[in-house]
Protein backbone atom coordinates (compact mmCIF):
# COMPACT_ATOMS: atom_id res chain seq x y z
CA UNK A 1 0.00 0.00 0.00
CA UNK A 2 2.94 2.29 0.76
CA UNK A 3 4.40 1.57 -2.71
CA UNK A 4 1.02 2.25 -4.34
CA UNK A 5 0.85 5.65 -2.66
CA UNK A 6 4.56 6.26 -3.41
CA UNK A 7 5.12 7.01 0.25
CA UNK A 8 8.14 6.20 2.38
CA UNK A 9 7.92 4.51 5.78
CA UNK A 10 9.26 7.49 7.68
CA UNK A 11 6.75 9.80 5.96
CA UNK A 12 3.88 7.56 7.00
CA UNK A 13 5.28 7.33 10.55
CA UNK A 14 5.40 11.13 10.70
CA UNK A 15 1.82 11.53 9.45
CA UNK A 16 0.44 8.83 11.76
CA UNK A 17 2.46 10.07 14.73
CA UNK A 18 4.33 6.88 15.58
CA UNK A 19 8.03 6.12 15.53
CA UNK A 20 9.65 4.37 12.57
CA UNK A 21 10.61 1.56 14.95
CA UNK A 22 6.95 1.01 15.84
CA UNK A 23 5.95 1.18 12.17
CA UNK A 24 8.59 -1.46 11.49
CA UNK A 25 7.07 -3.64 14.25
CA UNK A 26 3.70 -3.27 12.52
CA UNK A 27 5.11 -4.10 9.08
CA UNK A 28 6.95 -7.20 10.26
CA UNK A 29 3.90 -8.51 12.12
CA UNK A 30 5.63 -8.50 15.51
CA UNK A 31 2.99 -6.23 17.05
CA UNK A 32 0.61 -7.93 19.49
CA UNK A 33 -2.17 -5.38 19.03
CA UNK A 34 -3.03 -2.18 17.21
CA UNK A 35 -4.99 0.70 18.66
CA UNK A 36 -8.11 1.83 16.75
CA UNK A 37 -6.66 5.36 16.73
CA UNK A 38 -3.46 4.12 15.02
CA UNK A 39 -5.43 2.06 12.51
CA UNK A 40 -7.66 5.04 11.78
CA UNK A 41 -4.64 7.32 11.28
CA UNK A 42 -2.93 4.84 8.93
CA UNK A 43 -6.13 4.38 6.88
CA UNK A 44 -6.54 8.14 6.68
CA UNK A 45 -2.92 8.67 5.60
CA UNK A 46 -3.05 5.93 2.96
CA UNK A 47 -6.65 6.64 1.97
CA UNK A 48 -7.63 2.99 2.33
CA UNK A 49 -9.78 0.60 4.39
CA UNK A 50 -8.51 -1.55 7.29
CA UNK A 51 -8.99 -4.65 5.13
CA UNK A 52 -6.46 -3.24 2.66
CA UNK A 53 -3.69 -3.31 5.25
CA UNK A 54 -4.77 -6.22 7.49
CA UNK A 55 -4.52 -9.83 6.47
CA UNK A 56 -5.43 -13.05 8.30
CA UNK A 57 -2.66 -15.66 8.07
CA UNK A 58 -3.37 -19.15 9.44
CA UNK A 59 -0.80 -20.06 12.09
CA UNK B 1 8.48 8.18 42.85
CA UNK B 2 12.24 8.70 43.06
CA UNK B 3 11.84 10.52 46.41
CA UNK B 4 9.84 7.60 47.77
CA UNK B 5 12.41 5.03 46.65
CA UNK B 6 15.17 7.14 48.22
CA UNK B 7 13.28 7.24 51.54
CA UNK B 8 12.61 3.48 51.32
CA UNK B 9 16.29 2.83 50.55
CA UNK B 10 17.34 4.86 53.58
CA UNK B 11 14.85 2.97 55.82
CA UNK B 12 16.09 -0.38 54.42
CA UNK B 13 19.71 0.63 55.09
CA UNK B 14 18.80 1.59 58.67
CA UNK B 15 17.03 -1.75 59.19
CA UNK B 16 19.94 -3.66 57.64
CA UNK B 17 22.61 -1.89 59.68
CA UNK B 18 20.57 -2.27 62.89
CA UNK B 19 20.12 -5.99 62.19
CA UNK B 20 23.83 -6.45 61.50
CA UNK B 21 24.80 -4.57 64.68
CA UNK B 22 22.34 -6.66 66.74
CA UNK B 23 23.80 -9.84 65.24
CA UNK B 24 27.38 -8.70 65.93
CA UNK B 25 26.44 -7.80 69.50
CA UNK B 26 24.87 -11.24 69.99
CA UNK B 27 28.06 -12.83 68.66
CA UNK B 28 30.17 -10.71 71.00
CA UNK B 29 28.10 -11.78 73.98
CA UNK B 30 28.33 -15.43 72.97
CA UNK B 31 30.64 -17.38 75.28
CA UNK B 32 33.43 -18.49 72.96
CA UNK B 33 35.48 -19.89 75.89
CA UNK B 34 33.35 -23.00 75.67
CA UNK B 35 35.18 -23.90 72.46
CA UNK B 36 38.44 -24.13 74.41
CA UNK B 37 36.73 -26.43 76.91
CA UNK B 38 35.58 -28.63 74.06
CA UNK B 39 39.05 -28.74 72.54
CA UNK B 40 40.52 -29.77 75.89
CA UNK B 41 37.84 -32.42 76.30
CA UNK B 42 38.47 -33.72 72.77
CA UNK B 43 42.15 -34.18 73.61
CA UNK B 44 41.53 -36.00 76.86
CA UNK B 45 38.30 -37.84 75.99
CA UNK B 46 38.02 -41.55 76.68
CA UNK B 47 37.86 -43.09 73.23
CA UNK B 48 35.99 -46.15 74.52
CA UNK B 49 33.12 -44.07 75.82
CA UNK B 50 30.10 -43.73 73.54
CA UNK B 51 30.47 -40.24 72.03
CA UNK B 52 26.79 -39.73 71.43
CA UNK B 53 25.75 -39.90 75.08
CA UNK B 54 28.74 -37.98 76.36
CA UNK B 55 27.73 -34.88 78.32
CA UNK B 56 30.38 -32.78 76.62
CA UNK B 57 29.12 -33.70 73.17
CA UNK B 58 25.60 -32.74 74.17
CA UNK B 59 26.92 -29.43 75.47
CA UNK B 60 28.88 -28.98 72.25
CA UNK B 61 25.75 -29.68 70.21
CA UNK B 62 24.07 -26.87 72.12
CA UNK B 63 26.76 -24.48 70.91
CA UNK B 64 26.63 -25.77 67.34
CA UNK B 65 22.88 -25.15 67.28
CA UNK B 66 23.42 -21.67 68.72
CA UNK B 67 25.91 -20.96 65.94
CA UNK B 68 23.36 -22.31 63.49
CA UNK B 69 20.85 -19.79 64.83
CA UNK B 70 23.40 -17.00 64.36
CA UNK B 71 24.06 -18.17 60.82
CA UNK B 72 20.33 -18.16 60.07
CA UNK B 73 20.00 -14.61 61.40
CA UNK B 74 22.76 -13.62 58.98
CA UNK B 75 20.89 -15.43 56.20
CA UNK B 76 17.75 -13.47 57.04
CA UNK B 77 19.71 -10.19 56.89
CA UNK B 78 21.02 -11.31 53.49
CA UNK B 79 17.36 -11.72 52.48
CA UNK B 80 16.61 -8.17 53.63
CA UNK B 81 19.44 -6.91 51.43
CA UNK B 82 17.38 -7.94 48.37
CA UNK B 83 15.00 -5.08 49.20
CA UNK B 84 17.81 -2.71 48.21
CA UNK B 85 18.25 -4.50 44.88
CA UNK B 86 14.50 -4.23 44.22
CA UNK B 87 14.51 -0.52 45.09
CA UNK B 88 17.48 0.02 42.77
CA UNK B 89 15.61 -1.68 39.90
CA UNK B 90 12.56 0.52 40.59
CA UNK B 91 14.77 3.61 40.68
CA UNK B 92 16.11 2.67 37.23
CA UNK B 93 12.53 2.42 35.97
CA UNK B 94 12.53 -1.39 35.61
CA UNK B 95 9.37 -2.12 37.57
CA UNK B 96 8.41 -5.52 36.15
CA UNK B 97 11.88 -6.81 35.37
CA UNK B 98 13.00 -10.44 35.55
CA UNK B 99 15.42 -9.42 38.29
CA UNK B 100 12.61 -8.10 40.50
CA UNK B 101 10.62 -11.32 40.03
CA UNK B 102 13.72 -13.34 40.98
CA UNK B 103 14.38 -11.14 44.03
CA UNK B 104 10.81 -11.50 45.28
CA UNK B 105 11.03 -15.27 44.94
CA UNK B 106 14.39 -15.32 46.74
CA UNK B 107 13.05 -13.23 49.63
CA UNK B 108 10.09 -15.63 49.88
CA UNK B 109 12.47 -18.63 49.93
CA UNK B 110 14.71 -17.06 52.57
CA UNK B 111 11.83 -16.06 54.88
CA UNK B 112 10.26 -19.53 54.78
CA UNK B 113 13.60 -21.40 55.00
CA UNK B 114 14.59 -19.21 57.96
CA UNK B 115 11.37 -19.87 59.87
CA UNK B 116 11.39 -23.63 59.28
CA UNK B 117 15.10 -23.93 60.12
CA UNK B 118 14.72 -21.90 63.33
CA UNK B 119 11.77 -24.04 64.37
CA UNK B 120 13.82 -27.21 63.79
CA UNK B 121 16.84 -25.83 65.66
CA UNK B 122 14.66 -24.68 68.56
CA UNK B 123 13.19 -28.17 68.73
CA UNK B 124 16.72 -29.65 68.83
CA UNK B 125 17.74 -27.15 71.52
CA UNK B 126 14.72 -28.12 73.60
CA UNK B 127 15.62 -31.81 73.13
CA UNK B 128 19.21 -31.18 74.28
CA UNK B 129 18.12 -29.11 77.26
CA UNK B 130 15.48 -31.72 78.12
CA UNK B 131 12.87 -28.97 78.16
CA UNK B 132 9.45 -29.24 76.59
CA UNK B 133 8.89 -28.11 73.02
CA UNK B 134 5.38 -26.96 72.25
CA UNK B 135 5.02 -26.52 68.51
CA UNK B 136 1.95 -24.30 68.80
CA UNK B 137 3.61 -22.05 71.38
CA UNK B 138 6.60 -21.72 69.04
CA UNK B 139 4.26 -20.77 66.22
CA UNK B 140 2.91 -17.94 68.36
CA UNK B 141 6.37 -16.35 68.63
CA UNK B 142 7.08 -13.25 66.64
CA UNK B 143 9.45 -14.72 64.02
CA UNK B 144 6.78 -17.01 62.54
CA UNK B 145 5.12 -14.01 60.89
CA UNK B 146 7.82 -14.55 58.25
CA UNK B 147 5.86 -17.55 56.85
CA UNK B 148 2.89 -15.42 55.69
CA UNK B 149 5.38 -12.70 54.69
CA UNK B 150 7.30 -15.26 52.59
CA UNK B 151 4.06 -16.43 50.98
CA UNK B 152 3.16 -12.79 50.27
CA UNK B 153 6.47 -12.42 48.40
CA UNK B 154 5.73 -15.54 46.32
CA UNK B 155 2.34 -13.99 45.45
CA UNK B 156 4.05 -10.69 44.59
CA UNK B 157 6.46 -12.58 42.31
CA UNK B 158 3.49 -14.15 40.49
CA UNK B 159 1.77 -10.74 40.19
CA UNK B 160 4.98 -9.23 38.81
CA UNK B 161 5.27 -12.08 36.27
CA UNK B 162 1.78 -11.16 35.04
CA UNK B 163 2.72 -7.47 35.17
CA UNK B 164 5.80 -8.12 33.03
CA UNK B 165 3.66 -9.93 30.47
CA UNK B 166 1.16 -7.04 30.44
CA UNK B 167 4.01 -4.55 30.06
CA UNK B 168 5.40 -6.49 27.08
CA UNK B 169 1.92 -6.63 25.51
CA UNK B 170 1.56 -2.90 26.07
CA UNK B 171 4.94 -2.19 24.47
CA UNK B 172 3.92 -4.20 21.40
CA UNK B 173 0.58 -2.42 21.06
CA UNK B 174 1.04 0.27 18.44
Amino acid sequence: MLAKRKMKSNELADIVGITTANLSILKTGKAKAIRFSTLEAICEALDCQPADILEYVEA
Amino acid sequence: MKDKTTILSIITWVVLLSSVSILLNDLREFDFNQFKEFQNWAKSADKNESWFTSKNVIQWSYYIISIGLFFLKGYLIYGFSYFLSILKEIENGHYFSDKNIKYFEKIGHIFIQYTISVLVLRFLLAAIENSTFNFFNELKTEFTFLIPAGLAFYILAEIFKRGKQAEEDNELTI
Side-chain angles (χ1 to χ4, degrees):
Chain A
M1 194 54 79
L2 273 170
K4 269 187 193 172
R5 300 288 184 266
K6 289 178 183 168
M7 198 186 275
K8 285 179 183 169
S9 291
N10 55 345
E11 285 172 0
L12 179 66
D14 277 346
I15 296 166
V16 175
I18 57 173
T19 61
T20 45
N22 277 346
L23 186 64
S24 169
I25 290 171
L26 272 177
K27 281 167 75 182
T28 51
K30 285 179 187 167
K32 287 205 173 179
I34 182 164
R35 290 189 186 89
F36 278 120
S37 55
T38 313
L39 187 61
E40 199 180 352
I42 293 172
C43 289
E44 198 181 328
L46 295 174
D47 189 26
C48 65
Q49 289 298 311
D52 298 327
I53 51 170
L54 293 177
E55 184 189 17
Y56 170 71
V57 180
E58 204 169 344
Chain B
M1 190 68 191
K2 194 166 184 183
D3 286 346
K4 278 185 185 173
T5 48
T6 311
I7 293 166
L8 284 170
S9 297
I10 291 166
I11 293 169
T12 313
W13 270 113
V14 170
V15 170
L16 267 176
L17 292 174
S18 312
S19 312
V20 170
S21 59
I22 289 167
L23 180 65
L24 289 175
N25 189 51
D26 285 352
L27 276 168
R28 195 174 57 86
E29 286 174 357
F30 187 74
D31 188 6
F32 280 103
N33 287 329
Q34 292 291 331
F35 294 103
K36 278 183 189 166
E37 274 183 29
F38 175 76
Q39 283 168 349
N40 292 337
W41 166 80
K43 279 177 196 163
S44 59
D46 180 6
K47 303 283 187 252
N48 296 324
E49 195 187 340
S50 167
W51 64 274
F52 191 71
T53 53
S54 164
K55 201 179 169 185
N56 279 319
V57 167
I58 291 170
Q59 195 185 11
W60 182 236
S61 312
Y62 177 82
Y63 283 96
I64 287 176
I65 291 168
S66 302
I67 288 167
L69 286 170
F70 283 133
F71 171 78
L72 284 171
K73 277 181 190 169
Y75 187 53
L76 184 66
I77 293 168
Y78 169 67
F80 284 141
S81 71
Y82 279 116
F83 287 118
L84 287 173
S85 311
I86 292 170
L87 287 169
K88 191 154 189 155
E89 279 288 295
I90 290 171
E91 215 173 88
N92 293 336
H94 307 139
Y95 300 97
F96 299 105
S97 66
D98 281 329
K99 277 185 183 175
N100 271 354
I101 294 165
K102 196 177 73 185
Y103 294 147
F104 279 128
E105 278 173 344
K106 274 191 177 178
I107 294 171
H109 287 322
I110 290 171
F111 280 11
I112 288 172
Q113 280 169 358
Y114 171 83
T115 314
I116 292 169
S117 309
V118 168
L119 278 173
V120 169
L121 288 182
R122 282 195 183 194
F123 167 75
L124 290 173
L125 266 183
I128 289 164
E129 287 172 334
N130 278 330
S131 58
T132 51
F133 178 85
N134 188 323
F135 183 73
F136 291 103
N137 276 345
E138 287 291 332
L139 276 183
K140 281 182 200 165
T141 49
E142 74 284 354
F143 75 95
T144 51
F145 84 92
L146 288 170
I147 287 183
L151 289 174
F153 278 105
Y154 283 136
I155 294 166
L156 265 180
E158 286 305 312
I159 292 169
F160 267 63
K161 272 181 199 168
R162 186 70 193 89
K164 188 184 169 256
Q165 208 180 349
E167 194 181 51
E168 279 172 2
D169 284 354
N170 189 45
E171 277 169 7
L172 287 173
T173 300
I174 316 292

